[in-house]
Amino acid sequence: MRKLIITLAALLVTGLLSYFLASGFHSVLLVRPKPLTLYIDGKEVTHVENQEPSPNGVESLPATIEYKGVVYVPLHLIGKHTNKPVGWDAVSQTAWLGEQPAQQSHEAGQQLAAKGDAKIQPLPDQPSLPEADRSSAASSHQPQPTAMDKQAELQPQQEKQTTEEQVLPEELTLFGLKLGDSSEKVAALLGEPDRREPSALGYEWWIYNQDLDRYLQVGIGDNRVVDLYSNGAHARIGQVSIGTSYQSLSGKYPLRHIVKFRYSGAQIEITNQLRERPLVLQGSTPLIFYIDKHNENRVTAMRMIDQLPLLQGGFYETKWSYRGKGPDFDPPPRSIKQREAIDAAHERQILDLVNVIRHRHKLPLLKWHDKAADVARSHSSDMENYRFFDHVSATTGMDPFDRLKQAGISYRLAGENIAAGFLDAIEAHESWMNSPGHRKNVLEKEFSNLGVGVVADYFTQNFLTPR
């Protein structure tokens, strides 16, 4: 008789079968639920103990399953027979037997990945200010203590079938627009945009920034809306608006760890980022809600994006399986000239995004500073060319303040934010806002000017108050 290996599965029974069938695997797993004669410390576990009700509460399914010769046993059975408590945190995807571990976030910052390749994220360092300036800035603008994440608020909705009646199709609009609307309708509703500029994914951004409460970026591809984003105070999609709590959001939309759909003959599985930017698929419409971890986990921005650019952009860790010819989810190629135009667009958008959030916090708006932008752009180019990520240059040894002084910029107060590995200005900005040090620079009331430099996926912000 072959030897059966009893493995402690880090799952409670209520989630065991669904985990194997719904997690990020490329193919169906041949799992055999079967009753076994199980012994723990020499004591036989009865047949009744080794059965668990199914999610519908009617059937009784074997709780022990076999997969590739390994027998998986529910953690609660082990805990019951060893007199130790067990627990399961669906948000951080951790389980425990005995003493509960300290709460850990399963998403440390914006970890963006495409096809499994991790990308760099901005570091959670403190604002880079000279010692004298750092102390004065701290005295006038200390970061406010943030409320601890409440487990009940961050607990995603149970993985279950939901109906599309939760949000009516006509409600899936942002400032009156929805995906698929014609460019003519956009112009008729909002007028001509303040700027038209290229995106990293081949479509054109129409920027509406005259009313910061209604700030809007509209992505136009083939004369139709393919992307919509806003962090303006009056932004709303359906019943979710800026300031909506995480608990309320999870009550309106199913928040799933794995988002699945089919596209172009491929089965898509996206690993969600529930703490910072949960992705929701409402019907066939992907919605991204950006969460402000430092403002009681409330919605701070929102985005509606077509499925193809969602996949092309590598917004989330994504897997797909297919038969026959594989799908093409690569972003469109760009010439050097086109890439430079996209970088310049990201620089202008970052100024807009910073001023929108400062406007929401009733702070003075920042003015563009050309020479600071030149310094920032040079540092982004330095990082991109020599493949390092630091405030201190690996080639010159200069820090942000050395670079400003070398450029002849006299300042009373200065700071720098850097980021790398992000698709566009939106993603870089939202990541900065969830990092305490970077957020402090963005919301520093004493700053008056901003210069932004973007080269490929390297971003640098130089904040300053001139003398």
Side-chain angles (χ1 to χ4, degrees), residues 51-61:
Q51 296 281 318
E52 285 294 325
S54 68
N56 62 24
V58 178
E59 302 173 281
S60 182
L61 301 176

Side-chain angles (χ1 to χ4, degrees), residues 388-404:
F388 71 92
F389 183 68
D390 203 318
H391 292 286
V392 178
S393 170
T395 60
T396 68
M398 290 193 296
D399 66 22
F401 315 106
D402 296 328
R403 292 190 288 271
L404 291 173

